[in-house]
Each structure stands twice: as C-alpha cells, then as structure tokens.
Amino acid sequence: MEIASKYSPADTEGKWYSYWMEQEFFKSVPDEREPYTMVIPPPNVTGVLHMGHMLNNTIQDILVRRARMQGKNACWVPGTDHASIATEAKVVNKLQQEGISKYSLSRDEFLKHAWDWTDKHGGIILEQLKKLGASCDWDRTCFTMDEVRSEGVIKVFVDLYNKGYIYRGVRMVNWDPSAKTALSDEEVIYREVQSKLYYVRYQVEGEENEYVTIATTRPETILGDTAVCVNPNDERFKHLVGKKVLVPLVNRAIPVLEDEYVDMEFGTGCLKITPAHDINDYEIGMRHNLESIDVLNDDGTVSEAAGLYVGEDRFDVRDKIEKDLDKAGNLVKVEDYTNKVGYSERTDAAIEPKLSTQWFLKMSELAQPALKAVMEDEVRFHPPKFKNLYRHWMENVKDWCISRQLWWGHRIPVYYLSDGSYVVAESEEEALKMARDKSGNANFTPDDLKQDEDVLDTWASSWLWPITVFDGFNPDNNEIDYYYPTNDLVTAPEIIFFWVARMIIAGYEYRGTYPFKNVYFTGIVRDKQRRKMSKSLGNSPEPLELIKQYGADGVRMGMLLCSPAGNDILFDESLTEQGRNFANKIWNAFRLVKNWDVAAGAEQPESSKIAIDWFQNKLMESVEKINDHFDKYRISDALMEVYQLFWNEFSSWYLELIKPAYQQPIDEKTYEATLKFFDDLVRLLHPFMPFITEEIWHHLAERKEGESIMISLQPQAEKYDEALLAQFEYVKEAIAGIRNLRKEKNLSPREALKIVVLTGKDGYFKQMDPVLKKMANLESIETTDEKLSGAVSFLVKSSEYFVPLEGLIDTDAEIAKLEDELKRMQGFLNGVMKKLSNEKFVANAPDKVVEMEKKKQADAEAKIQVLEESIKNLKG
C-alpha cells in the first residue's frame, strides 16, 4: 500500500467505517468470553448531534473499543427515546404550519402523523454518530416505543399496580400550559426573574373602613382565593381571626384563619390562600377544609370559575387586574421583586401549580435498595462527589407523577367501566376478561371499555432501558442473563434523578441487582467564557463541520483534552486543531520510519540497543499508568499519557536516537523493533483515535481480509526496569544541559564537543555514554576526580559536567559576561535576604510566601556558586 504524503481524514474515515460495518466487528452475540456491555443514553428522537452528544459518545466509544481490545465480548446498544413532550410539540408545530390543528384530528390520525415524522427524522442522530466513529452494535438499535420496549413498559406498570405501588389521585402537580400536561418536579427549571410584589387590600366584611392588606406576586389568582391566613403568634391580627373579608372585584366573603405556615416577616404578615394554584396553599386548604377554585384552564387562560376575564391569557390578566384593582381602590402599592419562577424544561412555558387527577408511583420503599447500592459503592459514581446529591434526592424522594396528558407515548393500560371503576391489564383482551369478571356481565364488549386517555412519562420507559434493550421481560430470552448487569454508564449529572436513580431502582426491583457497575458523569460543554454552549447564543460549533475540518480523530481528541470527569468542559476549537496536529505528527513519524532504507545484516549501534531497551521499559511503565487511569475513570489522563508517550518519548527521543545518519540505512534489528513499537503505540491509541490507527496498522504489515486493529489485543502490562528509566532521565538532563550550553555560547550543534564529568553519587552512568554521545554530538566523554579549569560546567544531580571551551569561544568576553550575571544574581540575593531578615515580614506573611522567598534564596545561592566556579575555571 502506498503511503500518502499527507494524512487525509476524508479519504480514511468513510473507508474504514464501511469496512468495520461490512466485517460486523461491532456485532455481539453471547459466547464464552467475558461480556462488556454499555447502553447508550438514548437521545431524543427529535435530536441532532450537539457538543454534549459528541463528548458523551466519544467517551463511550473509547470504553467499548478498549474492552474489545482486551478480548472481551463488547456490546454497545444504541437507540433513541420517543420523548413524549418534545416530539408531540414538533408534530403539532408541523401540523400547524400545514393549517391543521391537533384537536381537529382523532388520536389515531394524530399518531399516524407522529409515526411518519419519527420514521423520517428519528434516525438522524444515530447516523451522525457513525461519523464520530461510534462502534455500536447497530443491529441492536432500539426505540423506546418499539414493540419489545413497549411490552416491557406495560408489563411493569401492571406489575407495580398489582403490588400496590401505583395509585390514582388528585394532587397538586406542575402544569405546562403550552404542552397541556403535568410535569414531574425534575422537569421544572427554576430561574430568578424580575417580578412585582402587589399589595392588595381586602375589606373586612361588615366594616366599611377596615381592611386587611396582603402581598402577592400573582394578582391574577385572587379570583380563586378561599381564605386569608395569619400566624397564630402574630398579635397584630388576633382581632380579625374568625371574621371574613371580601375578595376584591368579586366581593366573595372568605374566612380569616390561623396557620403556623404563615411567615410574619414576609409582606404584611397576611397570606391569601388559593388552594388550586399553590402547593403550600393547597396543603393549608387541606388542613382547614377549604374549597379549591381553579381559575385557570389547561392552556393558561382564565376559566369560567373566575367570573371575570374568562378566556383571556393569564399574563394579560395580570396587567389588567392591576389597573382594575387600582381603579377599585384595592391596590395599595406595587414594588419590584426578585423571585424564582418554574419553567417547563421541554417548552419553556412558565409552569402553573394545578390540582389534577393523575397516576402516581410510590417511591420511598422502591428507592431503598438503590440508595444503599450507591452509598456502599455497589454502584460507583465517577467522580464520587455526586453521591451526596444522589443521597439527598433519594432520602427525600417524592411520589412520581407518571401520567402525561399527551397522545404520543405509552398509553396507560387502565380500562374504565361505565360505572367509573377500572381494571389494569396488559392488553384489551385481558382487560375485557377482567371487566366481565368484575361486573359479572359475560356479554361485556370492547365498546363497553374506555382506555385511559393519558400516556406515561417518557422516563417511565427509559428507566427500564438496560433491561428492555435485552428483552429482559421475555421469559424465553436468556440474552439478558449474559449481558446484564451492564458495566459502565456515561451520562450527564443533570439527569441523575430523571434517569440514573430510576434505572437503579428498576434494576433492583426487576433483576435483583444493579443495572450498571460504574456511572461516569460528564460535565457541561461550555465556551471559553464559561457560557453553556447553545444554538441561541451562537457559541456552539456544528459538530459535523468540526469533523469535516479536523477529522473525527482530531475532534475526539480535542473533546478529551478538556474533559475531566464531572467537571465542566471549557471547549476551544484550538483543541480540535491540536488533535488534528497530533494525527499529522503520528502520520509523519510513521512515514519517516517506513521511508528508511534497511540494511540486512548491518551491525546494530550500541545507542540503538540502549534505545530499544529503554523504550520497551518506558512503554510498559506507560501501559501500567494508562490501565490505572482507566481503572479510576481518568480517561483524559489516560489519553494524555499516550499522547506524551508518543510525542515526547517516542518521537522526540527514541526516533532521534535510532535515526540513521543522512541517506544512510538503518539496521534490520532496530527497524523491526521500531515497527513493533509503532504497532504497540497505535494499539494504545486506537480507542481514542480509531481511524488513523486502523490506517497505519494496515500499512505496518500485510493484513488479511477480516483483520482489524480494533479486534487485536492491547499491549499487556509487564514488569519494567525502574532503574534503567531513572538513568535515562538523568541522561536527558545531561543532554539538555549540553544543548542549553551550546545555545548560550553560540556553539554550532554540528561541532562535536568534549565532555569531562566530575562524578557524584548520581547523575552519571557510563553505560549510557552511547546515548549521550549521539544525542549531544560529543567527540569524547572522560571522567575526572577534580574540577576542570578553563571550562564551563553545569550540574546534573550531584555530578558536574565540564565542557572545555578553549579554542571555541572568546574566554575574556565570556568571563565578563559571567561576571555581569554574577553581579545581577548577587543583587537579587541581597533583595531576598532583606525580606527574610525583616522579622515583621516573616511573622506576618503567609507561610507560602515565606517558603517561596526561601526557595528564591536557595536557587540564587546555587546559581552564584556555579557562576563563581565557572569564572574561576575560565580564569584557570
């Protein structure tokens, strides 16, 4: 195969991805090997690839590719989530653009449009993941509303209902007026907003000039007030308790009550109670048996029950009622006020607390095994800091509102009889049988049953994902016994409650064990200014454009260079450029090696023998570190270790050390060893940079059809010689010292120098002389027992390296230069000593500052000693 002069991702990536797919390298079936399993956090069927997906799926692909190269049966299951609210909103919007209202359609007609939209758009993001190199088993692609997944969801609902965990009740819920559905607490995002605090007075019934003033941020709900409440310890209002006041504008009489909940310091100390529109008011209303008047329709307009402003939008009414209250003499004042308002995560509409009949799942008992599992590290979080967040939520878990007032989703398997009773069944056929038994009417027909109109919360399907992707509720399918529990989950901390906690709960309830052993939490991808990346801000690059510009390997590496687990990622496009540059570095190093002429039977230089021995040990040290990083889920650190091994140790040291002289051949032994090292390096790099490594691996040797780097084994950790590695680091210091000296003295790198070493207890190893000679271009290396005159020197540990400069430099000029530097350093030392001799400074300055000054003193004294020695040596 001809090696191109430049690496081209465009020519490489499509070619190898097609090859991997054709050879079915991503495919997994149960066998005798140890399984390694991951399930993809299913992206919304509405989604397209964004930077968060890029990061998350890069990390997943690294883990699964590495497992494959460890000889495990790696299975990464892809799929998408039906995303009830988001998808229904997309379909409704599409229909509106076509002049069709959702409510002009039957449920079945609407669902046909939804399925058509899903079939057309639903697979886009999965196709985009292929461009990134994602090695999913695409034959296993799942959808949360496909037949197998849906059957599992319905089975679990029926089972939990039969166990007494699911119940139907009227509760205060978060209501999204845009989507016209209930939301769970976790689907509400609270934001600080600039509001107003309206002070409104209520006339005491029967008293012409006596009023009670309340403060509210929501005057539009006044029409639903059913009481005014004061704190029983508040002496200011004792005389009013038991009396009634009149609701402004409608003059409806409501009682004045006492309740400990009322904050005497907020507003006026009087609280209006609107049980239908505030959770705390609802609880007060329950305690005092108050009526609930719902003054808002499902779409956020004012209802008939309000008596005024009927059919008008809630926020329009807020403006209107302010003017009308003022006109009626009930508005005392309006103040600016900052408060937190809840918004729907899906539609961004301001949510309304609303009384609603919904289906709930009792969580406190179900949550206990899942709480214990994380607290005792049966399921390990990376980083572990998220354990406390998890514990707080699980210890205070609320019942889960699992019903949604939508058409797109898993329809609740509850069937109502004409008398209002109901049965819960997995199918209409089973429901019919149960209804006949329940009613005693053998002639009961499907027309006599009415299925619940609501669907289940999206998360009520995805919490079963690690089970249902392996058809885990099918007793005839034993695949789940092989693949479950899975190994790793890579996800974002913002869905720790939505998804992670609930999957763990479901795992213990339905499989008796955890669904995954490790959870790796990624951070939020932010820009350099720490702003969250979003299309609305215009600060988010288009992922596919990045791949086109920098190559998938470059983008993968760029994402990893800035992504420590659990911390936010400060993404900069220059990182993907760095990734591309690294790919080019690998390619150029490969071309250099492959273009060498090889001399069969030529003698191997001593420097090459040492280089091979050293790099083999360095490689094993790095493999040990990489394995340790992976064990601790420090994936960025693992990449940096491979990066530095290739760039610094292999390219800058090993290749330079073995490189033959200009237009000279390399010996066969060194060449073969170098190709073996290249093979080891690309196998270490493959999980991070799959495309370029596959390309190089096929150039390294003759490969048969069906071979791939991705199914070859990673280099195995072996014992390594720490003493040899330490010796080589000393030699590196000596070489750096000589190179610095050449630079300082303007000596040509081509001029061979003589070195004389005054050996100390460390810093010089004679067996490394061939390395020192080659890399520093030395004519000779001698040792001495005393300091050398007429030479300059530098220290490596306790050994002093002398370079005789006679005939190489102007000695008088060099002495003058060194004396100037000596004076400068002595002046610097005097300044440091003045500080350290100042008792006030030493007593009051932070310990770190004092330590820094002492370090400056020690460094200056050492430098002065070297300068004095150099001057003395040059003067002879």
Side-chain angles (χ1 to χ4, degrees):
M1 294 168 68
E2 187 180 341
I3 303 171
S5 59
K6 288 185 178 178
Y7 175 63
S8 170
D11 295 335
T12 303
E13 292 172 358
K15 173 183 72 176
W16 288 120
Y17 203 87
S18 295
Y19 176 73
W20 296 330
M21 291 285 284
E22 287 162 10
Q23 298 295 329
E24 297 187 329
F25 290 137
F26 306 156
K27 189 176 178 64
S28 174
V29 292
D31 59 24
E32 72 287 348
R33 289 175 294 167
E34 176 189 347
Y36 174 87
T37 319
M38 278 201 313
V39 295
I40 202 169
N44 285 356
V45 73
T46 59
V48 292
L49 200 63
H50 61 60
M51 297 302 285
H53 292 133
M54 294 268 280
L55 172 66
N56 186 294
N57 287 281
T58 293
I59 292 168
Q60 289 182 81
D61 194 51
I62 288 167
L63 292 172
V64 80
R65 284 181 181 274
R66 181 169 181 267
R68 218 177 263 123
M69 296 180 77
Q70 290 175 316
K72 296 175 184 176
N73 187 352
C75 180
W76 180 14
V77 183
T80 49
D81 190 288
H82 65 280
S84 291
I85 296 176
T87 303
E88 184 148 323
K90 291 269 188 186
V91 177
V92 167
N93 184 55
K94 172 187 170 288
L95 290 171
Q96 282 175 346
Q97 290 173 0
E98 296 169 3
I100 303 170
S101 165
K102 168 188 172 182
Y103 302 103
S104 70
L105 301 174
S106 68
R107 186 186 194 113
D108 287 343
E109 287 169 340
F110 177 81
L111 288 176
K112 184 179 185 307
H113 284 284
W115 278 110
D116 287 346
W117 190 93
T118 300
D119 292 341
K120 185 175 180 182
H121 299 281
I124 290 174
I125 191 166
L126 299 184
E127 288 303 310
Q128 290 174 326
L129 286 177
K130 294 176 182 178
K131 299 285 186 188
L132 188 65
S135 57
C136 303
D137 184 346
W138 298 108
D139 292 341
R140 292 180 175 272
T141 301
C142 299
F143 178 49
T144 51
M145 267 179 64
D146 64 26
E147 187 177 349
V148 170
R149 265 47 63 183
S150 295
E151 284 177 2
V153 170
I154 300 306
K155 276 181 185 290
V156 165
F157 183 97
V158 173
D159 178 68
L160 290 171
Y161 174 81
N162 290 334
K163 288 174 177 173
Y165 288 118
I166 288 179
Y167 64 93
R168 187 170 183 249
V170 177
R171 296 285 185 277
M172 182 70 68
V173 298
N174 304 299
W175 187 262
D176 180 338
S178 176
K180 297 181 190 174
T181 183
L183 302 175
S184 67
D185 290 345
E186 290 74 39
E187 290 170 301
V188 179
I189 298 169
Y190 287 91
R191 295 200 288 264
E192 271 198 357
V193 297
Q194 295 304 311
S195 299
K196 291 179 181 178
L197 195 58
Y198 302 83
Y199 289 79
V200 181
R201 64 180 191 170
Y202 292 51
Q203 186 180 346
V204 178
E205 186 180 37
E207 303 291 338
E208 191 173 336
N209 293 312
E210 190 170 6
Y211 295 88
V212 169
T213 301
I214 60 95
T216 180
T217 58
R218 306 189 65 208
E220 67 276 12
T221 63
I222 281 173
L223 303 173
D225 288 354
T226 55
V228 166
C229 218
V230 298
N231 191 295
N233 300 311
D234 198 331
E235 296 294 333
R236 293 173 295 174
F237 306 111
K238 284 284 185 187
H239 66 289
L240 293 174
V241 177
K243 293 185 178 182
K244 290 188 176 182
V245 295
L246 301 177
V247 177
L249 303 182
V250 291
N251 292 326
R252 179 164 40 80
I254 57 175
V256 178
L257 307 170
E258 292 179 315
D259 197 283
E260 292 278 358
Y261 171 78
V262 180
D263 182 354
M264 292 188 289
E265 303 301 320
F266 176 76
T268 64
C270 291
L271 185 70
K272 77 183 199 68
I273 306 301
T274 320
H277 297 287
D278 182 275
I279 183 61
N280 298 306
D281 289 9
Y282 171 70
E283 290 172 358
I284 291 171
M286 294 288 285
R287 285 196 290 274
H288 298 278
N289 296 314
L290 296 176
E291 180 187 5
S292 287
I293 303 173
D294 189 346
V295 297
L296 292 175
N297 294 316
D298 288 352
D299 62 356
T301 58
V302 174
S303 71
E304 293 278 355
L308 298 173
Y309 315 110
V310 176
E312 297 184 50
D313 182 78
R314 55 188 167 149
F315 294 120
D316 293 338
V317 171
R318 184 176 296 180
D319 294 334
K320 282 188 177 183
I321 203 170
E322 178 185 354
K323 294 171 186 172
D324 291 345
L325 288 168
D326 191 29
K327 189 176 178 181
N330 293 100
L331 189 64
V332 178
K333 63 178 177 176
V334 180
E335 294 177 345
D336 288 334
Y337 184 68
T338 302
N339 65 331
K340 286 190 174 181
V341 175
Y343 290 86
S344 167
E345 183 194 41
R346 302 297 184 186
T347 66
D348 205 39
I351 62 105
E352 284 290 345
K354 184 176 173 65
L355 278 176
S356 182
T357 302
Q358 302 287 344
W359 289 94
F360 295 87
L361 174 61
K362 297 176 186 176
M363 294 290 281
S364 57
E365 185 181 332
L366 287 170
Q368 292 313 304
L371 172 60
K372 184 171 181 255
V374 172
M375 290 304 101
E376 295 181 0
D377 286 334
E378 191 169 29
V379 175
R380 291 189 301 160
F381 281 3
H382 307 277
K385 67 180 182 181
F386 290 107
K387 285 172 65 174
N388 287 333
L389 185 67
Y390 178 88
R391 183 185 67 210
H392 177 76
W393 188 77
M394 294 290 270
E395 287 178 346
N396 298 280
V397 69
K398 295 178 182 176
D399 287 357
W400 177 8
C401 176
I402 56 174
S403 48
R404 297 291 182 268
Q405 289 63 55
L406 301 165
W407 283 351
W408 176 247
H410 299 99
R411 197 166 174 183
I412 289 177
V414 173
Y415 299 82
Y416 298 93
L417 285 66
S418 56
D419 62 0
S421 64
Y422 58 83
V423 295
V424 179
E426 291 182 28
S427 66
E428 188 182 78
E429 184 182 359
E430 184 185 342
L432 195 59
K433 183 178 181 303
M434 292 173 72
R436 285 170 179 164
D437 292 342
K438 185 168 189 171
S439 65
N441 180 1
N443 298 318
F444 214 90
T445 70
D447 292 338
D448 297 318
L449 280 179
K450 187 176 189 308
Q451 188 173 354
D452 198 301
E453 291 289 330
D454 290 351
V455 299
L456 288 166
D457 176 15
T458 295
W459 302 99
S461 56
S462 52
W463 80 315
L464 305 172
W465 190 244
I467 302 172
T468 56
V469 294
F470 299 113
D471 199 6
F473 294 102
N474 179 355
D476 298 325
N477 181 8
N478 60 7
E479 258 202 353
I480 192 161
D481 296 329
Y482 179 76
Y483 288 117
Y484 187 100
T486 68
N487 296 75
D488 299 320
L489 177 76
V490 180
T491 190
E494 57 260 33
I495 56 173
I496 192 171
F497 314 128
F498 282 127
W499 195 45
V500 178
R502 289 168 177 167
M503 280 192 290
I504 299 172
I505 290 170
Y508 280 96
E509 181 66 17
Y510 287 104
R511 297 297 302 173
T513 188
Y514 49 82
F516 28 73
K517 183 62 185 168
N518 298 283
V519 183
Y520 179 102
F521 290 107
T522 61
I524 295 169
V525 183
R526 299 185 182 276
D527 64 14
K528 288 183 285 186
Q529 299 173 45
R530 296 188 175 273
R531 299 176 303 171
K532 186 175 179 179
M533 284 193 165
S534 69
K535 288 188 177 179
S536 59
L537 284 176
N539 65 343
S540 181
E542 172 55 52
L544 295 181
E545 287 301 314
L546 283 178
I547 290 173
K548 191 182 291 184
Q549 187 172 356
Y550 299 106
D553 289 331
V555 172
R556 288 165 67 110
M557 185 174 174
M559 295 299 295
L560 259 292
L561 285 173
C562 58
S563 57
N567 293 319
D568 287 352
I569 291 90
L570 301 182
F571 180 78
D572 186 336
E573 198 166 315
S574 65
L575 293 168
T576 51
E577 187 176 4
Q578 185 178 340
R580 180 188 63 187
N581 293 346
F582 183 48
N584 291 337
K585 175 81 170 179
I586 297 166
W587 189 256
N588 291 336
F590 173 65
R591 285 185 68 246
L592 172 74
V593 171
K594 288 294 279 187
N595 285 332
W596 283 336
D597 290 328
V598 183
E603 188 176 350
Q604 186 180 36
E606 279 301 313
S607 56
S608 294
K609 289 179 184 176
I610 296 169
I612 292 166
D613 191 18
W614 163 72
F615 191 76
Q616 177 60 33
N617 283 274
K618 191 68 185 173
L619 179 69
M620 289 301 103
E621 180 191 49
S622 286
V623 169
E624 181 180 270
K625 288 180 179 178
I626 291 162
N627 290 342
D628 183 58
H629 288 318
F630 270 107
D631 289 345
K632 293 169 180 169
Y633 289 80
R634 296 194 300 242
I635 297 171
S636 290
D637 293 341
L639 171 61
M640 283 308 300
E641 179 64 32
V642 191
Y643 175 84
Q644 288 166 358
L645 177 67
F646 190 95
W647 193 293
N648 298 336
E649 310 299 344
F650 184 70
S651 296
S652 298
W653 286 100
Y654 175 80
L655 289 184
E656 287 300 312
L657 189 47
I658 63 150
K659 187 166 67 176
Y662 181 64
Q663 291 190 336
Q664 295 299 307
I666 190 169
D667 68 276
E668 199 169 17
K669 280 186 180 177
T670 303
Y671 184 71
E672 291 301 323
T674 305
L675 291 185
K676 172 64 171 61
F677 288 146
F678 229 114
D679 185 87
D680 288 334
L681 287 166
V682 293
R683 281 186 287 132
L684 285 175
L685 274 165
H686 177 75
F688 305 100
M689 305 176 81
F691 293 108
I692 190 171
T693 51
E694 185 76 82
E695 179 75 9
I696 288 175
W697 193 77
H698 281 267
H699 278 292
L700 279 169
E702 291 291 328
R703 308 292 182 191
K704 297 174 186 175
E705 182 73 15
E707 287 189 297
S708 170
I709 190 173
M710 69 180 290
I711 53 171
S712 66
L713 290 177
Q714 285 247 302
Q716 301 297 300
E718 297 172 9
K719 286 184 179 179
Y720 55 90
D721 187 339
E722 293 183 40
L724 172 62
L725 295 179
Q727 290 170 15
F728 203 89
E729 290 305 309
Y730 291 153
V731 174
K732 282 185 185 178
E733 284 190 50
I735 293 164
I738 296 165
R739 287 174 176 173
N740 287 337
L741 191 144
R742 285 182 185 276
K743 190 175 177 183
E744 287 172 12
K745 311 305 179 194
N746 291 319
L747 299 176
S748 169
R750 294 177 182 172
E751 179 138 24
L753 300 177
K754 295 177 182 177
I755 291 285
V756 179
V757 186
L758 176 59
T759 58
K761 65 178 185 297
D762 54 23
Y764 174 69
F765 302 95
K766 186 161 185 60
Q767 65 271 31
M768 288 286 174
D769 280 0
V771 174
L772 193 55
K773 277 186 175 181
K774 176 157 187 179
M775 296 297 281
N777 189 16
L778 301 181
E779 181 183 317
S780 63
I781 304 171
E782 298 175 9
T783 57
T784 182
D785 294 330
E786 55 186 31
K787 293 183 180 292
L788 198 66
S789 61
V792 290
S793 67
F794 59 88
L795 288 171
V796 179
K797 301 298 185 265
S798 59
S799 294
E800 193 164 3
Y801 286 69
F802 293 91
V803 181
L805 295 177
E806 188 177 350
L808 297 174
I809 62 166
D810 182 334
T811 305
D812 292 340
E814 183 63 24
I815 290 170
K817 181 180 168 186
L818 291 174
E819 286 177 338
D820 285 344
E821 177 65 10
L822 179 62
K823 283 180 187 174
R824 191 184 72 77
M825 286 306 301
Q826 287 169 335
F828 175 77
L829 179 61
N830 287 337
V832 173
M833 295 310 295
K834 277 182 185 176
K835 276 189 181 180
L836 290 173
S837 61
N838 183 336
E839 292 179 7
K840 203 170 183 181
F841 169 78
V842 174
N844 296 324
D847 291 344
K848 281 186 179 179
V849 173
V850 175
E851 284 304 313
M852 182 63 72
E853 292 302 316
K854 287 180 179 177
K855 185 176 185 306
K856 288 179 185 177
Q857 176 193 350
D859 290 345
E861 287 172 347
K863 180 73 173 172
I864 286 168
Q865 184 180 354
V866 171
L867 288 167
E868 287 174 342
E869 289 286 347
S870 294
I871 292 166
K872 181 181 175 185
N873 290 337
L874 286 171
K875 286 182 175 179

